[in-house]
Amino acid sequence: MRRAADPLLALALVGAALASLLTGSVALTPLEVGTALVGGGEDTARVVVLSLRLPRLGLALLVGASLALAGAALQSLLANPLADPFLLGISGGGAAAATLAVVALPAVLLGLVPLAGMGGAALATGLVWWLARGPLGASSTRLILAGVAVNAAASAVILLVLAFASGSRLPGALAVTMGSLAGASAARAWWLLPYTLGAAAVLLHHGRDLGLLGTGEESAAGLGVDVPAVRRRVFLAAAALCGGAVAFAGVIGFVGLVTPHLCRLVWGQAPRRLLVRSAVLGAALTAAGDTLARRLVPGAELPVGVITALLGVPFFVALLRRSA
Amino acid sequence: MARVLALAPDVTELVFALGAGAAVPAVPRSADFPPEVARLPRFDEQDPEAILARRPDLVVATTAGTDPRLVERLRELGVEVATIDVTTFERLGEACRLLGALLGRPESGEALASGLARRVRAATERAAARPTQRALYVVWWEPLIVAAPGTFHHDLLRLAGLANLAPEGAGRYPRTSTELLLDPRLEVVVAPDEPPLRAMFQSLLGRAEGARLARGAVEVIWLPADPASRPGPRLVDALEALVEARGGGR
């Protein structure tokens, strides 16, 4: 199964990307989309494909990969199958700040919403880390408990902001809380790319260390792993990935939690094998989810987080039953 | 101006009232006035792809109803977007003039604005013949959502000779306590006449918060929902209806 799984994964990614580029409210044939992608064809098709669909696909791939990679790393780091950026309050902090920015900033400054989202996520990360400090450093249990507390506070802030949001700002604020890639633009995708790659590189670099940590902290330390440093770097890199995703796409649930489990069921526990594949599957799932979110109900865009959950849970359950 | 796309039903009405209906290739899903819009194709006013597909030379959005992220997105894509912000009757006149100028019909804009202003003046004078009463404009009964200063509904009350009792500083349409309906100063409640609002009102009458409404201590004026809920040119119809309901006559 493992051997066949890699090409299938690649196929899923390509399929999701193609579906995303080929669907939209403007009916375009595959030939028109292809022509537009190389800069030809008529004006409307070119603008739709190059300025709307392609940046949106790019952002979906980056956000999905970020969430799944962060989830996989955190689950390994904290040895907790429920760990994900949401449980740790990082998404909540980012979402609270982004929601506040959407509602409170003057219209000309709305471009700063992603920056606010990243700031909020960073603040939440710092707060969780600070709250989790104990005599022996930040333990897994303390990190999770601190995350739950920060998440609850962030939820309260979001609800407060929504209660005061004016009519035209409410859709934007709800889009943050339910996840949406509608704000995608080429500039945003290009901005997020190096940031995501940098944080992802840190996690991939520590893949082996995370594997050793899975055998227990003492044995990992005995094998030369600087446990506190690895814990700090992995946590911060995962938080950075998650902050970027929330800042540009709002809260997209499920991808960070379940994608690593799906991958584990196929490729096993070793983080080195798991991290890259989680990122690819997360990217494919998010792109597919966004395509469905845009097209499932004609004339209305559904929250992408709902779709990713509806899409992934049956797969997850099926794989779980099979492996049992 | 070759092709104009309005992103809200009130702006659609405004474009038609300016005589530029022929420049409108499609209307938003919720547009239902003037009757000519019935034969026009619909588009999803939230979807930038659907907007671009209509190849508009000008897109008209509203501050109150259009997501500002969509406006930003369209401008990034090189689409000319005008934003109309009708929070008072005076602003309605400004919107007529602005849109008239943008559509290459400045005389129509001026004529529409001054015609509406004349009707507003006449209605206000009729309303002034009656003593000022304290009122609320109820947008929703449960939870109680009322129009506060800074909204065209507040201006509607003001011009009809009603002093708004809505709390200030809690946003334009604050969600507030139903206790406000028991305020002894409250004399008039204005609400849009829609089936769900009527039903909520009926259930409220049987409860403690509805006591003053039930015994008739507060006059309830139901306005035709369509013009009263849209800051378009027919808002003046709503004002005239309100003044008439208060006994100001036509």
Side-chain angles (χ1 to χ4, degrees), chain A residues 23-26 42 44 47-48 51-53 107 110-111 164 167-169 171-172 175 182 184-185 188 294 299-300, chain B residues 29 44 46-50 52-55 62-69 72-73 76-77 169-172 175:
Chain A
T23 44
S25 49
V26 176
E42 57 122 20
T44 307
V47 174
V48 164
S51 304
L52 293 172
R53 293 187 192 172
L110 282 177
F164 285 99
S168 64
R169 298 299 180 95
S185 68
R188 290 183 168 196
R294 280 186 288 146
Chain B
R29 281 168 302 170
D44 176 7
Q46 313 277 344
D47 179 359
E49 258 191 46
L52 283 178
R54 299 287 173 184
R55 303 156 170 276
T62 69
T63 312
T66 314
D67 188 342
R69 298 172 309 156
E72 182 196 11
R73 204 69 248 287
E76 277 171 12
L77 296 170
R172 289 178 165 191
R175 179 188 295 198

Side-chain angles (χ1 to χ4, degrees), chain B residues 18-250:
Chain B
L18 289 164
V24 177
V27 291
R29 281 168 302 170
S30 48
D32 53 7
F33 194 90
E36 295 99 286
V37 301
R39 59 178 170 75
L40 287 172
R42 308 269 143 179
F43 73 96
D44 176 7
E45 66 271 25
Q46 313 277 344
D47 179 359
E49 258 191 46
I51 295 168
L52 283 178
R54 299 287 173 184
R55 303 156 170 276
D57 298 299
L58 174 70
V59 167
V60 190
T62 69
T63 312
T66 314
D67 188 342
R69 298 172 309 156
L70 176 65
V71 174
E72 182 196 11
R73 204 69 248 287
L74 291 171
R75 286 191 176 137
E76 277 171 12
L77 296 170
V79 178
E80 191 184 337
V81 186
T83 308
I84 301 286
D85 183 22
V86 177
T87 47
T88 60
F89 280 73
E90 203 180 316
R91 289 247 177 151
L92 178 60
E94 286 168 19
C96 296
R97 291 191 183 92
L98 170 71
L99 208 51
L102 286 172
L103 295 170
R105 301 167 165 269
E107 324 78 42
S108 307
E110 186 54 48
L112 183 61
S114 47
L116 292 175
R118 245 191 327 274
R119 285 172 57 198
V120 169
R121 258 197 314 277
T124 312
E125 279 162 20
R126 286 198 301 276
R130 292 207 58 190
T132 302
Q133 288 179 295
R134 295 189 185 84
L136 284 174
Y137 189 99
V138 171
V139 177
W140 203 250
W141 291 102
E142 288 179 281
L144 185 65
I145 300 175
V146 295
T151 62
F152 64 88
H153 286 125
H154 170 81
D155 216 36
L156 186 69
L157 294 181
R158 184 180 68 84
L159 292 171
L162 297 165
N164 197 355
L165 271 185
E168 285 187 49
R172 289 178 165 191
Y173 290 96
R175 179 188 295 198
T176 181
S177 162
T178 39
E179 272 184 32
L180 197 57
L181 299 172
L182 294 172
D183 189 322
R185 294 173 301 165
L186 182 65
E187 294 164 289
V188 178
V189 166
V190 183
D193 195 357
E194 284 175 294
L197 275 111
R198 284 272 190 182
M200 279 187 272
F201 175 72
Q202 282 306 323
S203 94
L204 193 63
L205 288 182
R207 301 212 309 269
E209 308 96 289
R212 291 192 77 231
L213 297 172
R215 67 166 187 267
V218 177
E219 184 190 357
V220 182
I221 299 175
W222 296 93
L223 283 185
D226 179 3
S229 303
R230 282 183 193 178
R234 286 187 302 146
L235 195 54
V236 180
D237 297 3
L239 174 64
E240 288 169 346
L242 179 55
V243 171
E244 191 174 5
R246 289 198 63 218
R250 280 222 178 215

